[in-house]
Every structure is written in C-alpha cells, then in structure tokens.
Amino acid sequence: MKTTAISKDVQSAMTPENVLQDLLNGNERFVNGNAEGADNSALISQTTGGQFPKAVVLSCIDSRVPVETVLDQAIGDIFVARVAGNFENTDIIGSLEYSCKVAGSKLILVLGHESCGAVKAACDGVELGNITAMLENIMPAVRQSAEEIEGEANSSNSEFVAKTVENNVKLTMDRIREKSPILKDMEDNGEIKIVGGVYNLHNGKVEML
Ligand SMILES: [Zn+2]
C-alpha cells in the first residue's frame, strides 16, 4: 500500500532509467493482480501543497487503458496527457514541457495501444466533423505502414493496424524532439528520456518499442 507521496528530494534523486523501471514494475504488478493500492486520504493531504510527479505519459483516451491503473500509480505519481490516438500538438507539447522542465518529471512515455479506434479510423480515412482534422495527425504513420506492410492498407488488416499503432508512437516521439528544443536538450543532457510503448489489450502488458 502506497502511503507516501513523492517529495521533491525523492524526485530529484530519480533517474530516467529508474523511473521507467518503476513504471514497468507497476505494470507487472497490475498484470499479476498484485496492484499495490494506495492510501488516497494520506496522499491527498500530502500533495495538497504541491506535486513532484516522476513521469508524464501521453496516451489515448481509450477506456480500456486507464493509465494510472495499468501502471499501478497513485495520486502525485504521474502526469497524464490524453488524446485519441496519443499524438502530439502544441498544447500537448506545452504540457510535456511543463511536466519535465517546470515540474521536474524525468520520463516521457508515449503509450499507444492495440486495436486503437483512432488509428483504425485513420487507416480507413474516416471523415466526420472535427474527427477528420484530428486523424490527420495519425496519417504519417498510416502512410509509413503502407510502405512496410503487404496486403490491404485499411483496418481490415490487423497487421497493418498493429504496425500503424507502432509507427504512430515512434513518429510522435520523433516529432516531440523536433518541435521541442527544450525537451530535446533535456534528453541530450540525460535529464529525461523519451520512450515509447504499446499496451496489449489481451494481457494488460505494456511492451516497450
Ligand atoms: Zn486509442
């Protein structure tokens, strides 16, 4: 049971590598049915005056991937930015910069997931209201997959969808580095790491790319 929130000193002593290991350990506890659980009342009172999260996760809105739950994290542990298809834009990158540069987080985890509805819709060229413009963010991954995967280039091809989920995570990581000199410098200096993973809907595991 987690009873102590992360303090500034504890956060400062963490490295990007041990934060990643910590999140993967949490995912392993979740998968094995050994989630640590948390004393939320204690954590609420300890974090009222401030927060020192160890990581920021950029994930999809999918209801099957509740980020804190699948990584077994508690109040004060992680920032989470969510948008359908877990891609970056100016507001998301601003949120990531806030997390790392201002609030001291050590890791950016871009977390895609199996059978992502947004990715499938992008694969199929869906057009509907504001969804059309949103899906444009995923199209570079779709176009890359079309060069890499044989067969149908749409959501009927599960191999095509899986490759697009993976490409979308990798391209999002690349674009975060391109569009944010702040985060790129922090990564080059070893202050943070930018990593990518895919959540498996079948077994609850996060598989790192
Ligand atoms: Zn999704």
Side-chain angles (χ1 to χ4, degrees):
M1 168 90 61
K2 186 179 170 88
T3 56
T4 310
I6 301 175
S7 65
K8 187 164 180 46
D9 287 347
V10 167
Q11 185 200 47
S12 300
M14 289 174 170
T15 66
E17 289 76 16
N18 60 38
V19 169
L20 175 59
Q21 192 54 55
D22 183 289
L23 297 184
L24 293 175
N25 291 345
N27 179 240
E28 198 176 328
R29 290 194 301 274
F30 166 74
V31 168
N32 294 330
N34 296 324
E36 188 178 29
D39 181 343
N40 286 327
S41 302
L43 297 178
I44 286 170
S45 62
Q46 288 169 39
T47 53
T48 309
Q51 58 172 343
F52 306 97
K54 59 196 159 196
V56 54
V57 181
L58 169 53
S59 78
C60 184
I61 61 170
D62 200 291
S63 69
R64 299 165 294 179
V65 193
V67 180
E68 285 89 345
T69 303
V70 305
L71 297 174
D72 192 22
Q73 301 298 311
I75 289 172
D77 279 343
I78 57 173
F79 289 107
V80 183
R82 300 182 71 160
V83 63
N86 46 263
F87 57 81
E88 90 302 338
N89 61 20
T90 302
D91 307 296
I92 295 280
I93 290 181
S95 301
L96 301 178
E97 289 178 348
Y98 175 79
S99 303
C100 297
K101 192 70 180 179
V102 180
S105 293
K106 307 282 187 173
L107 185 80
I108 297 173
L109 169 59
V110 179
L111 184 61
H113 69 96
E114 189 184 0
S115 302
C116 179
V119 167
K120 284 182 177 175
C123 289
D124 291 338
V126 167
E127 295 189 8
L128 177 66
N130 289 281
I131 297 172
T132 310
M134 182 184 76
L135 295 180
E136 272 304 313
N137 293 283
I138 305 172
M139 290 312 294
V142 175
R143 286 191 285 269
Q144 189 175 322
S145 300
E147 292 174 9
E148 296 170 346
I149 298 290
E150 302 281 327
E152 297 268 343
N154 60 45
S155 71
S156 69
N157 182 347
S158 59
E159 199 189 345
F160 186 77
V161 173
K163 178 56 87 174
T164 306
V165 165
E166 197 178 304
N167 285 339
N168 185 46
V169 169
K170 289 178 179 168
L171 291 173
T172 297
M173 290 163 58
D174 291 345
R175 289 187 302 252
I176 289 168
R177 294 181 180 111
E178 280 167 28
K179 295 179 179 178
S180 173
I182 286 181
L183 295 172
K184 178 160 192 335
D185 282 356
M186 290 185 82
E187 186 176 44
D188 290 347
N189 297 336
E191 297 167 74
I192 64 166
K193 252 184 190 294
I194 302 172
V195 297
V198 174
Y199 179 81
N200 183 315
L201 287 183
H202 288 81
N203 58 22
K205 273 191 196 155
V206 172
E207 286 149 11
M208 298 306 295
L209 295 177

